């Protein structure tokens, strides 16, 4: 059974600081997704990572994937208040076209 | 604008009652999904549909039913057999199983 673990589950940080969210998964996968959710709102797709060593960047967010270590990271550079949200990773089990296994989410609070 | 519309935003269920959550999309996506989100947890897949007139159970299908008679619509019925239905329900769609999923704004279901 594929399990996805995110850590930390909660993170409070100051504006301007850097930090990394980790997403570990337990079995082979070839696709990993990062989503953002604002409180009480829907989810927004941030990144799709499809191969070992893949790196995607959008603004102050950068995501990477190491399929050998079964690890993805979401790095936040010089955090700003608008990045406060809950971030989820979701992993597709190998040979699964439609099902995703989701992490519990990392609630990120960025203080001015 | 293209998107996914879920209704109602809030729904209350009485004991022994079936309720239906609506999900409509105009993105021309073939695949549609229903997820359940509980506080502090990741999303769990209830049902998904790859094409019209076809759907598959996800991880927590017991107590739920769906239909896919039209490409645009994927309603979810929460039956009286679902003993703990209080949760946030999210509908999503995608072109294929590997493309990022687009989400609706969700329906919050509570027990009266």
């Amino acid at each position: 059974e594929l399990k996805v673990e995110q850590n930390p589950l909660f993170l409070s940080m100051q504006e301007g600081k850097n930090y990394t969210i980790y997403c570990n998964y337990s079995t082979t996968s070839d696709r990993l997704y990062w989503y953002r959710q604002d409180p009480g709102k829907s989810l927004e797709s941030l990144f799709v990572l499809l191969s070992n060593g893949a790196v995607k960047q959008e603004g102050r967010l950068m995501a990477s994937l190491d399929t050998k270590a079964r690890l993805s990271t979401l790095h936040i550079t010089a955090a700003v208040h608008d990045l406060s949200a809950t971030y989820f990773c979701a992993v597709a089990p190998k040979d699964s076209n439609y099902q995703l296994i989701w992490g519990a989410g990392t609630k990120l609070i960025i203080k001015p | 604008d293209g998107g996914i519309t879920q209704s109602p935003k809030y729904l209350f269920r009485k004991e022994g009652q079936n309720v239906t959550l609506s999900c409509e999309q105009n993105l021309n996506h073939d695949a549609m999904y229903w997820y359940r989100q509980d506080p502090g947890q990741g999303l769990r897949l209830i049902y998904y549909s790859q094409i019209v007139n076809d759907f598959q159970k996800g991880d927590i299908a017991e107590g739920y039913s769906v239909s896919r008679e039209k490409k645009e619509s994927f309603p979810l019925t929460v039956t009286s057999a679902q003993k703990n239905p209080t949760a946030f329900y999210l509908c999503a769609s995608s072109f294929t199983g590997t493309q990022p999923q687009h989400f609706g704004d969700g329906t919050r279901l509570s027990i009266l």
Side-chain angles (χ1 to χ4, degrees), chain B residues 62-73:
Chain B
E62 186 174 349
Y64 301 96
S65 66
V66 293
S67 63
R68 186 86 188 275
E69 297 176 1
K70 297 187 300 180
K71 186 175 185 177
E72 302 79 19
S73 178

Side-chain angles (χ1 to χ4, degrees), chain A residues 11-107:
Chain A
L11 176 59
S12 179
M13 56 192 289
Q14 295 292 129
E15 277 191 327
K17 300 289 187 182
N18 303 334
Y19 210 81
T20 301
I21 299 170
Y22 298 89
C23 175
N24 291 88
Y25 52 98
S26 59
T27 63
T28 305
S29 171
D30 51 13
R31 295 195 320 277
L32 189 142
Y33 304 80
W34 283 97
Y35 285 85
R36 167 185 173 145
Q37 184 179 36
D38 292 305
K41 300 289 186 179
S42 183
L43 279 78
E44 173 191 359
S45 175
L46 295 174
F47 301 109
V48 182
L49 302 169
L50 299 176
S51 60
N52 187 42
V55 177
K56 295 272 185 82
Q57 182 163 6
E58 180 74 32
R60 300 175 188 273
L61 299 177
M62 183 174 70
S64 65
L65 178 62
D66 182 343
T67 57
K68 294 180 181 178
R70 297 176 184 166
L71 170 69
S72 179
T73 61
L74 180 66
H75 186 74
I76 302 149
T77 302
V80 293
H81 178 67
D82 285 352
L83 291 178
S84 297
T86 299
Y87 293 87
F88 292 93
C89 65
V91 179
K94 196 162 178 62
D95 300 327
S96 169
N97 283 332
Y98 289 86
Q99 298 203 46
L100 298 177
I101 308 299
W102 294 74
T106 296
K107 185 171 184 178

Side-chain angles (χ1 to χ4, degrees), chain B residues 19-98:
Chain B
V19 292
T20 297
L21 284 60
S22 171
C23 177
E24 303 278 332
Q25 56 100 356
N26 60 4
L27 298 167
N28 200 32
H29 286 170
D30 286 313
M32 297 187 75
Y33 313 79
W34 273 106
Y35 291 95
R36 171 178 172 144
Q37 186 178 28
D38 292 285
Q41 296 187 32
L43 279 64
R44 292 184 290 168
L45 183 64
I46 305 172
Y47 271 96
Y48 68 99
S49 168
Q50 300 178 39
I51 56 172
V52 176
N53 293 322
D54 183 60
F55 49 83
Q56 284 79 40
K57 293 182 179 180
D59 299 319
I60 56 166
E62 186 174 349
Y64 301 96
S65 66
V66 293
S67 63
R68 186 86 188 275
E69 297 176 1
K70 297 187 300 180
K71 186 175 185 177
E72 302 79 19
S73 178
F74 192 40
L76 173 73
T77 296
V78 183
T79 75
S80 57
Q82 172 50 246
K83 297 306 180 187
N84 183 24
T86 298
F88 190 50
Y89 291 86
L90 286 159
C91 178
S93 69
S94 63
F95 278 115
T96 69
T98 58

